Amino acid sequence: MKNAKVVMAFFALAAVLAMCSIGIAVAFKSVIGIIGAILLVCAIMGYGFKTKRQFRDKGLL
């Protein structure tokens, strides 16, 4: 597997874990936790898409 695909798999796993943290925050009824988890998901997804575009531009994907 190419190195770029390993990096993208890491971003996918991180995004899934961040989405799970939203559910955990809901279970604890923590509004701050919910907002923080949503922001974390947005940050991870945004950085992952940015990295994917860079890999695609370089021809690594």
Coordinates of all heavy atoms in Angstrom, one line a residue:
M1 N 0.8 -1.2 0.0 CA 0.0 0.0 0.0 C 0.9 1.2 0.0 O 1.9 1.3 0.7 CB -0.9 0.0 1.2 CG -1.9 1.1 1.2 SD -3.1 1.2 2.6 CE -3.2 -0.4 3.3
K2 N 0.5 2.2 -0.8 CA 1.3 3.5 -0.9 C 1.2 4.2 0.5 O 0.3 4.1 1.2 CB 0.7 4.3 -2.0 CG 0.9 3.8 -3.3 CD 0.5 4.9 -4.4 CE 0.7 4.4 -5.8 NZ 0.2 5.3 -6.7
N3 N 2.2 5.0 0.7 CA 2.3 5.7 2.0 C 1.2 6.7 2.1 O 0.7 7.0 3.2 CB 3.7 6.5 2.0 CG 3.9 7.1 3.3 OD1 3.4 6.7 4.3 ND2 4.8 8.1 3.4
A4 N 0.7 7.3 1.0 CA -0.4 8.3 1.0 C -1.7 7.6 1.4 O -2.5 8.2 2.2 CB -0.5 8.9 -0.4
K5 N -1.8 6.4 1.1 CA -3.1 5.7 1.5 C -3.1 5.4 2.9 O -4.1 5.3 3.6 CB -3.2 4.4 0.6 CG -3.6 4.7 -0.8 CD -4.0 3.5 -1.6 CE -4.3 3.9 -3.0 NZ -4.9 2.7 -3.7
V6 N -1.9 5.1 3.5 CA -1.8 4.9 5.0 C -2.2 6.2 5.7 O -2.9 6.1 6.7 CB -0.4 4.4 5.4 CG1 -0.2 4.3 6.9 CG2 -0.1 3.1 4.7
V7 N -1.7 7.3 5.2 CA -2.1 8.6 5.8 C -3.6 8.8 5.7 O -4.2 9.3 6.7 CB -1.2 9.7 5.2 CG1 -1.7 11.1 5.6 CG2 0.2 9.5 5.4
M8 N -4.1 8.5 4.6 CA -5.6 8.8 4.4 C -6.4 7.8 5.3 O -7.4 8.2 5.8 CB -6.0 8.6 3.0 CG -5.4 9.6 2.0 SD -5.5 11.4 2.6 CE -7.2 11.6 2.6
A9 N -5.9 6.6 5.5 CA -6.6 5.7 6.4 C -6.5 6.2 7.9 O -7.5 6.1 8.6 CB -5.9 4.3 6.3
F10 N -5.4 6.8 8.2 CA -5.3 7.4 9.5 C -6.3 8.6 9.7 O -6.9 8.7 10.8 CB -3.9 8.0 9.7 CG -3.7 8.8 11.0 CD1 -3.7 8.2 12.2 CD2 -3.6 10.2 10.9 CE1 -3.6 9.0 13.4 CE2 -3.5 11.0 12.0 CZ -3.5 10.4 13.3
F11 N -6.5 9.4 8.7 CA -7.4 10.5 8.8 C -8.9 9.9 8.9 O -9.7 10.4 9.6 CB -7.4 11.4 7.6 CG -6.3 12.4 7.7 CD1 -5.2 12.5 6.8 CD2 -6.3 13.4 8.7 CE1 -4.3 13.4 6.9 CE2 -5.3 14.4 8.8 CZ -4.3 14.4 7.9
A12 N -9.1 8.8 8.2 CA -10.5 8.2 8.3 C -10.7 7.7 9.7 O -11.8 7.9 10.2 CB -10.6 7.1 7.2
L13 N -9.7 7.0 10.2 CA -9.9 6.5 11.6 C -10.1 7.6 12.6 O -10.9 7.5 13.5 CB -8.7 5.6 11.9 CG -8.7 5.0 13.3 CD1 -9.9 4.0 13.4 CD2 -7.4 4.2 13.6
A14 N -9.3 8.6 12.5 CA -9.4 9.8 13.4 C -10.8 10.4 13.3 O -11.4 10.8 14.3 CB -8.3 10.8 13.1
A15 N -11.3 10.5 12.1 CA -12.7 11.1 11.9 C -13.7 10.2 12.5 O -14.7 10.8 13.1 CB -13.0 11.3 10.4
V16 N -13.6 8.9 12.4 CA -14.6 8.0 13.0 C -14.5 8.1 14.5 O -15.6 8.2 15.2 CB -14.3 6.6 12.5 CG1 -15.1 5.6 13.4 CG2 -14.7 6.4 11.1
L17 N -13.4 8.2 15.1 CA -13.2 8.3 16.5 C -13.8 9.7 17.0 O -14.4 9.7 18.1 CB -11.8 8.2 16.9 CG -11.2 6.8 16.8 CD1 -9.7 6.8 17.1 CD2 -11.9 5.8 17.6
A18 N -13.6 10.7 16.2 CA -14.1 12.0 16.6 C -15.7 12.0 16.5 O -16.3 12.6 17.4 CB -13.6 13.1 15.7
M19 N -16.2 11.3 15.5 CA -17.7 11.2 15.5 C -18.2 10.4 16.6 O -19.3 10.7 17.2 CB -18.1 10.5 14.1 CG -17.9 11.4 12.9 SD -18.3 10.5 11.5 CE -17.3 11.3 10.3
C20 N -17.5 9.4 17.1 CA -17.9 8.6 18.2 C -17.9 9.5 19.5 O -18.7 9.3 20.4 CB -17.0 7.4 18.4 SG -17.2 6.1 17.2
S21 N -16.9 10.4 19.5 CA -16.9 11.3 20.7 C -18.1 12.2 20.8 O -18.4 12.6 21.9 CB -15.6 12.1 20.7 OG -15.6 13.0 19.6
I22 N -18.7 12.5 19.7 CA -20.0 13.2 19.7 C -21.0 12.4 20.5 O -21.7 12.9 21.4 CB -20.5 13.6 18.3 CG1 -19.6 14.5 17.6 CG2 -21.9 14.2 18.4 CD1 -19.9 14.7 16.2
G23 N -21.1 11.1 20.2 CA -22.1 10.3 20.9 C -21.8 10.2 22.4 O -22.7 10.1 23.2
I24 N -20.5 10.1 22.7 CA -20.1 10.0 24.1 C -20.5 11.3 24.9 O -20.9 11.3 26.0 CB -18.6 9.7 24.2 CG1 -18.3 8.3 23.7 CG2 -18.1 9.9 25.7 CD1 -16.9 8.0 23.6
A25 N -20.2 12.4 24.2 CA -20.6 13.7 24.8 C -22.1 13.9 25.0 O -22.5 14.4 26.0 CB -20.1 14.9 23.9
V26 N -22.9 13.3 24.1 CA -24.3 13.3 24.2 C -24.7 12.5 25.4 O -25.6 12.9 26.2 CB -25.0 12.9 22.9 CG1 -26.5 12.6 23.1 CG2 -24.8 13.9 21.8
A27 N -24.1 11.3 25.6 CA -24.4 10.5 26.7 C -24.1 11.1 28.0 O -24.8 10.9 29.0 CB -23.6 9.2 26.6
F28 N -23.1 11.9 28.1 CA -22.7 12.6 29.3 C -23.5 13.9 29.4 O -23.3 14.6 30.4 CB -21.2 12.9 29.4 CG -20.4 11.7 29.7 CD1 -19.3 11.3 28.9 CD2 -20.7 10.9 30.8 CE1 -18.5 10.2 29.2 CE2 -19.9 9.8 31.1 CZ -18.9 9.4 30.3
K29 N -24.3 14.3 28.4 CA -25.1 15.5 28.4 C -24.2 16.8 28.6 O -24.5 17.7 29.4 CB -26.2 15.5 29.5 CG -27.1 14.4 29.3 CD -28.2 14.3 30.4 CE -29.1 13.1 30.1 NZ -30.0 12.9 31.2
S30 N -23.1 16.8 27.9 CA -22.1 17.9 28.0 C -22.2 18.7 26.7 O -21.8 18.3 25.6 CB -20.7 17.3 28.1 OG -19.8 18.3 28.0
V31 N -22.8 19.9 26.8 CA -22.9 20.8 25.6 C -21.6 21.2 25.1 O -21.3 21.2 23.9 CB -23.8 22.0 26.0 CG1 -23.9 22.9 24.8 CG2 -25.2 21.5 26.4
I32 N -20.7 21.5 26.0 CA -19.3 21.9 25.6 C -18.6 20.8 24.9 O -17.9 21.0 23.9 CB -18.5 22.4 26.8 CG1 -19.2 23.7 27.4 CG2 -17.1 22.7 26.5 CD1 -18.5 24.1 28.7
G33 N -18.8 19.6 25.4 CA -18.2 18.4 24.8 C -18.8 18.1 23.4 O -18.0 17.8 22.5
I34 N -20.1 18.3 23.2 CA -20.7 18.2 21.9 C -20.1 19.2 20.9 O -19.8 18.8 19.8 CB -22.2 18.3 22.0 CG1 -22.8 17.1 22.9 CG2 -22.9 18.3 20.6 CD1 -24.2 17.3 23.3
I35 N -20.1 20.4 21.3 CA -19.6 21.5 20.4 C -18.1 21.2 20.1 O -17.7 21.3 18.9 CB -19.8 22.9 21.0 CG1 -21.3 23.2 21.1 CG2 -19.1 24.0 20.3 CD1 -21.6 24.4 22.0
G36 N -17.3 20.9 21.1 CA -15.9 20.6 20.9 C -15.7 19.4 19.9 O -14.8 19.4 19.0
A37 N -16.5 18.4 20.1 CA -16.4 17.2 19.2 C -16.8 17.5 17.8 O -16.2 17.0 16.8 CB -17.3 16.0 19.8
I38 N -17.8 18.3 17.6 CA -18.2 18.7 16.3 C -17.1 19.5 15.6 O -16.8 19.3 14.4 CB -19.6 19.5 16.3 CG1 -20.7 18.5 16.7 CG2 -19.9 20.2 15.0 CD1 -22.0 19.2 16.9
L39 N -16.5 20.5 16.3 CA -15.4 21.2 15.8 C -14.2 20.3 15.5 O -13.6 20.6 14.4 CB -15.0 22.3 16.8 CG -16.0 23.5 17.0 CD1 -15.5 24.4 18.1 CD2 -16.2 24.2 15.7
L40 N -14.0 19.3 16.3 CA -12.9 18.4 16.0 C -13.2 17.6 14.7 O -12.3 17.4 13.9 CB -12.7 17.4 17.2 CG -11.6 16.5 17.1 CD1 -10.3 17.2 17.1 CD2 -11.7 15.5 18.3
V41 N -14.4 17.2 14.5 CA -14.7 16.4 13.3 C -14.5 17.3 12.1 O -13.9 16.9 11.1 CB -16.2 15.9 13.3 CG1 -16.6 15.4 12.0 CG2 -16.4 14.8 14.4
C42 N -15.0 18.6 12.2 CA -14.8 19.5 11.1 C -13.3 19.8 10.8 O -12.9 19.8 9.6 CB -15.5 20.8 11.4 SG -17.3 20.7 11.4
A43 N -12.5 19.9 11.8 CA -11.1 20.1 11.6 C -10.4 18.9 11.0 O -9.6 19.1 10.1 CB -10.4 20.5 13.0
I44 N -10.7 17.7 11.5 CA -10.1 16.5 10.9 C -10.5 16.3 9.5 O -9.7 16.0 8.6 CB -10.4 15.3 11.8 CG1 -9.7 15.4 13.2 CG2 -10.0 14.0 11.1 CD1 -10.2 14.4 14.2
M45 N -11.8 16.4 9.2 CA -12.3 16.2 7.8 C -11.7 17.3 6.9 O -11.3 17.0 5.8 CB -13.8 16.3 7.8 CG -14.5 15.2 8.6 SD -14.4 13.6 7.8 CE -15.5 13.8 6.5
G46 N -11.6 18.5 7.3 CA -11.1 19.6 6.5 C -9.6 19.4 6.2 O -9.1 19.5 5.0
Y47 N -8.8 19.0 7.2 CA -7.4 18.8 7.0 C -7.2 17.5 6.2 O -6.3 17.5 5.3 CB -6.7 18.6 8.4 CG -5.2 18.7 8.2 CD1 -4.5 19.8 7.8 CD2 -4.4 17.5 8.5 CE1 -3.2 19.8 7.7 CE2 -3.1 17.6 8.4 CZ -2.4 18.7 8.0 OH -1.1 18.7 7.8
G48 N -8.0 16.5 6.3 CA -7.9 15.3 5.5 C -8.2 15.6 4.0 O -7.5 15.1 3.2
F49 N -9.2 16.4 3.7 CA -9.5 16.7 2.4 C -8.4 17.5 1.8 O -8.1 17.4 0.6 CB -10.9 17.4 2.2 CG -12.1 16.5 2.3 CD1 -13.1 16.7 3.3 CD2 -12.2 15.3 1.5 CE1 -14.2 15.8 3.3 CE2 -13.2 14.5 1.6 CZ -14.2 14.7 2.5
K50 N -7.9 18.5 2.6 CA -6.8 19.3 2.1 C -5.6 18.4 1.7 O -4.9 18.6 0.7 CB -6.4 20.3 3.2 CG -5.2 21.2 2.8 CD -4.9 22.1 4.0 CE -3.6 22.7 3.7 NZ -3.1 23.4 4.9
T51 N -5.3 17.5 2.6 CA -4.1 16.6 2.4 C -4.4 15.7 1.2 O -3.5 15.4 0.4 CB -3.9 15.7 3.6 OG1 -3.7 16.5 4.8 CG2 -2.7 14.8 3.5
K52 N -5.6 15.2 1.0 CA -6.0 14.4 -0.2 C -5.7 15.1 -1.5 O -5.2 14.6 -2.4 CB -7.4 13.9 -0.1 CG -7.8 13.0 -1.2 CD -9.2 12.4 -1.0 CE -9.5 11.5 -2.2 NZ -10.9 11.0 -2.0
R53 N -6.1 16.4 -1.5 CA -6.0 17.2 -2.7 C -4.5 17.4 -3.0 O -4.1 17.3 -4.1 CB -6.6 18.6 -2.5 CG -6.5 19.5 -3.7 CD -7.2 20.8 -3.6 NE -6.9 21.4 -2.3 CZ -7.5 22.3 -1.7 NH1 -8.5 22.9 -2.3 NH2 -7.2 22.8 -0.5
Q54 N -3.7 17.6 -1.9 CA -2.2 17.7 -2.1 C -1.6 16.4 -2.7 O -0.8 16.5 -3.6 CB -1.5 18.1 -0.8 CG -1.8 19.5 -0.4 CD -1.3 19.8 1.0 OE1 -0.8 18.9 1.7 NE2 -1.3 21.1 1.4
F55 N -2.0 15.3 -2.2 CA -1.6 14.0 -2.7 C -2.0 13.8 -4.1 O -1.2 13.3 -4.9 CB -2.1 12.9 -1.8 CG -1.4 12.7 -0.5 CD1 -2.0 12.1 0.6 CD2 0.0 13.1 -0.3 CE1 -1.4 12.0 1.8 CE2 0.6 12.9 0.9 CZ 0.0 12.4 1.9
R56 N -3.2 14.2 -4.4 CA -3.7 14.0 -5.8 C -3.0 14.9 -6.8 O -2.6 14.5 -7.9 CB -5.2 14.3 -5.9 CG -5.9 13.8 -7.1 CD -7.3 14.1 -7.1 NE -7.7 15.2 -6.2 CZ -8.8 15.3 -5.6 NH1 -9.8 14.5 -5.8 NH2 -9.0 16.4 -4.8
D57 N -2.6 16.1 -6.4 CA -1.9 17.1 -7.2 C -0.5 16.5 -7.5 O 0.1 16.8 -8.5 CB -1.8 18.4 -6.6 CG -3.2 19.1 -6.6 OD1 -4.1 18.7 -7.4 OD2 -3.4 20.1 -5.8
K58 N 0.1 15.9 -6.5 CA 1.4 15.3 -6.6 C 1.4 14.0 -7.3 O 2.5 13.4 -7.7 CB 2.1 15.2 -5.3 CG 2.4 16.5 -4.6 CD 3.1 16.2 -3.2 CE 3.3 17.5 -2.5 NZ 3.9 17.3 -1.2
G59 N 0.3 13.4 -7.6 CA 0.2 12.1 -8.3 C 0.4 10.9 -7.4 O 0.7 9.8 -7.9
L60 N 0.2 11.1 -6.1 CA 0.5 10.0 -5.2 C -0.7 9.1 -5.0 O -0.6 8.0 -4.4 CB 1.0 10.5 -3.8 CG 2.3 11.2 -3.9 CD1 2.6 11.8 -2.5 CD2 3.4 10.3 -4.3
L61 N -1.9 9.6 -5.3 CA -3.1 8.8 -5.2 C -3.6 8.2 -6.5 O -3.4 8.7 -7.5 CB -4.2 9.6 -4.6 CG -4.1 9.8 -3.1 CD1 -5.3 10.7 -2.6 CD2 -4.1 8.6 -2.3

